[in-house]
Amino acid sequence: MATDLHALRQAIKAKRAQLSPEQQNHAAQNLAIRIHQEKCFQQAQHIGVYYPFAGEISLLNLVEQYRTQDANNPAQKQFYFPLITAEQMVFVRVNADSQWQTNRFGILEPRSNEVVSAKDLDLVFCPLVAFDHQHNRIGQGGGYYDRFFSYKTTEPQTKPKLIGVAYDFQAVDAIQSEPWDIPMDDIFSEGID
């Protein structure tokens, strides 16, 4: 199974790398439109997102819409990005003044001490490499999201709601999940015209 996972990750990452910046932006805009219409997003105040890496579908335009114009943010949505420390991940609050740095994986992350508890987040958008229609997710392979949200194996209804986001082509027929894998509550994907 490990070899299959490795081959699957490589194949999807290669396909993602072939997307032009225009295709990536088009998909990101369509995904943002969908997210705006979703009740889970409309009701959420504390939202976890990620900084896109290696062609992952971006939510940065969505975040910017709320961070730069408080008049358009009546719910005062707060956004939190992952920060990897040692072998664990935490989420930290960001704002327009946040400073950013590149971590050891080459991913931008905020320099912040405003750490939030997982259960204080209402909604988290999770990056992924592949997903199936049973809401299983294959990530990069580090297990950071699975460890951070591990309490959801015994408390699945506890906050936050976990939404995987991806391009449509990242869907696969079935993913063999492991006991430590945390399934998503839903998957939002957006095709490219």
Side-chain angles (χ1 to χ4, degrees):
M1 182 66 174
T3 304
D4 294 341
L5 278 179
H6 178 73
L8 178 62
R9 280 191 179 102
Q10 294 307 97
I12 292 180
K13 286 180 183 180
K15 191 166 185 176
R16 216 168 50 188
Q18 293 174 357
L19 297 175
S20 70
E22 293 79 18
Q23 288 173 310
Q24 290 179 18
N25 288 335
H26 180 70
Q29 289 171 359
N30 287 344
L31 181 60
I33 291 167
R34 176 179 179 186
I35 289 172
H36 273 292
Q37 297 169 351
E38 295 289 339
K39 186 176 179 180
C40 64
F41 179 76
Q42 293 170 2
Q43 295 177 340
Q45 266 191 299
H46 301 280
I47 303 166
V49 294
Y50 58 91
Y51 202 95
F53 177 71
E56 292 171 334
I57 196 163
S58 178
L59 298 176
L60 295 181
N61 288 339
L62 178 75
V63 172
E64 274 308 304
Q65 290 174 23
Y66 288 89
R67 284 199 335 197
T68 58
Q69 299 179 9
D70 284 343
N72 292 332
N73 188 4
Q76 295 301 309
K77 292 186 185 303
Q78 300 292 317
F79 292 92
Y80 303 81
F81 282 74
L83 173 66
I84 296 175
T85 60
E87 292 304 315
Q88 67 177 356
M89 179 180 74
V90 296
F91 275 81
V92 296
R93 184 176 174 267
V94 298
N95 57 43
D97 299 323
S98 293
Q99 300 294 310
W100 296 80
Q101 64 190 9
T102 303
N103 69 16
R104 68 180 183 267
F105 301 111
I107 303 169
L108 280 177
E109 61 185 16
R111 293 170 53 190
S112 173
N113 294 325
E114 294 188 55
V115 176
V116 65
S117 163
K119 293 179 182 180
D120 287 335
L121 295 168
D122 300 314
L123 178 66
V124 174
F125 293 106
C126 304
L128 53 86
V129 175
F131 68 93
D132 66 19
H133 295 290
Q134 290 72 46
H135 300 161
N136 294 306
R137 162 191 178 272
I138 294 174
Q140 293 286 350
Y144 291 100
Y145 281 83
D146 291 322
R147 285 193 300 276
F148 190 69
F149 297 110
S150 62
Y151 66 89
K152 289 183 74 75
T153 57
T154 57
E155 305 171 51
Q157 300 305 316
T158 305
K159 290 190 329 180
K161 185 172 186 120
L162 301 178
I163 307 292
V165 291
Y167 301 100
D168 279 345
F169 67 77
Q170 292 176 265
V172 297
D173 290 334
I175 292 172
Q176 177 64 45
S177 63
E178 300 293 344
W180 56 83
D181 290 335
I182 305 301
M184 301 289 98
D185 293 300
D186 206 344
I187 304 285
F188 295 169
S189 64
E190 187 60 36
I192 300 172
D193 298 330

